[in-house]
């Protein structure tokens, strides 16, 4: 079955440690995204990548880093510089990253990783 | 910039009741509009979408009509079930960055038997 996998589902870390969240897709999609979800705030875009070896900051990139070395993988590192890292993190993908001439593409979401930092 | 405002929850209903969740937006150009649903402990799934004014999106008994004159995209369902209990998000994408979604804060809906 095609889809997006995120692992692990729950992650616990001590303050001051970096942690990497995994996101893998087998949909052959060009573009991938990371969102952060906090209660009552909807989803906020952290980073996105329209194509392999390229990525851009979203609205709340401070304290996070990403890489896109392979089309199917887009790992997110939550660094110790992120002041409030405890949240639910969602990865998503779309077939194209360039808007495809104005054609709208649905974003496909993974099941999410809940990160708790104490 | 682009933004989405949706009615605050939580919303609690009895089974077979009518559900409406209000969503209004601010956007540059002509956005596309979406409703996503998130069941407990899961990621988001696209529920329905509309890409131009007066389009009606529909799926699983849910409907929403793209109203340009009122900049709205309200979600409705005529008879809810317990299985409709979830968080519902209104979202938009607007040119030239069609690949970026702006989300509302989400509305938690609980349907009681």
């Amino acid at each position: 079955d095609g889809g997006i996998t995120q692992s692990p589902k729950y992650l616990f870390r001590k303050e001051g440690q970096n942690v990497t969240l995994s996101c893998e897709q087998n949909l052959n999609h060009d573009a991938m995204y990371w969102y952060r979800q906090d209660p009552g705030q909807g989803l906020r875009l952290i980073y996105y990548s329209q194509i392999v070896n390229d990525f851009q900051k979203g609205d709340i990139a401070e304290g996070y880093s990403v890489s896109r070395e392979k089309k199917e993988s887009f790992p997110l590192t939550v660094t110790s510089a992120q002041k409030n890292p405890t949240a639910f993190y969602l990865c998503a993908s779309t077939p194209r990253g360039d808007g495809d001439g104005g054609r709208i593409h649905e974003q496909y979401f993974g099941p999410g990783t809940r990160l708790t930092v104490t | 910039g682009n933004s989405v405002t949706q009615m605050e929850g939580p919303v609690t209903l009895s089974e077979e009741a009518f559900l409406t969740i209000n969503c209004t937006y601010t956007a540059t150009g002509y956005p596309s509009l979406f409703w996503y649903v998130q069941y407990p402990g899961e990621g988001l799934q696209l529920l329905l979408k509309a890409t131009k004014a007066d389009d009606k999106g529909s799926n699983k008994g849910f409907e929403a009509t793209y109203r340009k004159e009122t900049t709205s995209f309200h979600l409705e369902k005529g008879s809810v079930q317990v299985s409709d209990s979830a968080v519902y998000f209104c979202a938009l994408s607007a040119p030239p960055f069609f690949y970026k979604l702006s989300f509302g804060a989400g509305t938690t809906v609980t349907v009681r038997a």
Side-chain angles (χ1 to χ4, degrees):
Chain A
D1 286 334
I4 300 176
T5 56
Q6 292 185 245
S7 59
K9 191 170 177 65
Y10 299 96
L11 195 51
F12 298 88
R13 281 294 182 272
K14 294 290 188 186
E15 196 173 323
Q17 293 179 335
N18 291 355
V19 60
T20 297
L21 281 60
S22 167
C23 177
E24 304 278 331
Q25 54 99 358
N26 61 4
L27 300 166
N28 199 34
H29 285 178
D30 283 340
M32 298 184 74
Y33 311 79
W34 273 106
Y35 292 92
R36 171 182 171 134
Q37 184 179 12
D38 295 283
Q41 293 194 44
L43 278 69
R44 293 181 289 170
L45 183 64
I46 305 172
Y47 268 97
Y48 62 99
S49 167
Q50 294 174 273
I51 201 162
V52 175
N53 293 321
D54 186 46
F55 50 83
Q56 288 83 39
K57 293 181 180 180
D59 300 320
I60 56 164
E62 186 176 349
Y64 299 96
S65 66
V66 294
S67 62
R68 186 85 189 278
E69 297 175 1
K70 297 187 295 183
K71 186 175 185 177
E72 60 270 23
S73 178
F74 191 41
L76 172 75
T77 296
V78 184
T79 75
S80 56
Q82 168 49 233
K83 289 182 171 46
N84 295 297
T86 294
F88 190 49
Y89 291 88
L90 287 158
C91 179
S93 70
T94 50
R96 295 276 296 270
D98 59 359
D100 195 13
R103 183 163 167 252
I104 303 306
H105 289 286
E106 171 188 350
Q107 286 201 10
Y108 294 78
F109 283 82
T113 292
R114 187 166 297 281
L115 173 66
T116 302
V117 177
T118 57
Chain B
N2 301 327
S3 67
V4 175
T5 302
Q6 57 182 107
M7 65 183 281
E8 293 185 15
V11 174
T12 302
L13 303 164
S14 297
E15 219 168 12
E16 299 183 5
F18 183 85
L19 170 68
T20 183
I21 304 176
N22 290 341
C23 171
T24 57
Y25 67 88
T26 302
T28 55
Y30 296 96
S32 292
L33 302 170
F34 307 85
W35 277 100
Y36 280 84
V37 59
Q38 183 179 36
Y39 298 104
E42 298 183 9
L44 275 68
Q45 303 172 26
L46 180 68
L47 182 59
L48 52 85
K49 67 182 179 185
T51 58
K52 61 182 187 296
D54 300 324
D55 266 1
K56 178 186 282 188
S58 61
N59 186 26
K60 298 181 181 180
F62 290 90
E63 292 183 339
T65 301
Y66 186 163
R67 301 285 187 204
K68 186 170 181 291
E69 63 276 14
T70 55
T71 62
S72 65
F73 192 55
H74 305 321
L75 182 68
E76 297 180 337
K77 186 174 185 181
S79 177
V80 293
Q81 305 300 313
V82 172
S83 57
D84 294 324
S85 298
V87 182
Y88 293 83
F89 292 93
C90 186
L92 70 82
S93 67
F97 306 111
F98 284 105
Y99 47 86
K100 291 182 69 175
L101 284 175
S102 297
F103 285 88
T107 302
T108 300
V109 174
T110 302
V111 180
R112 301 194 188 283

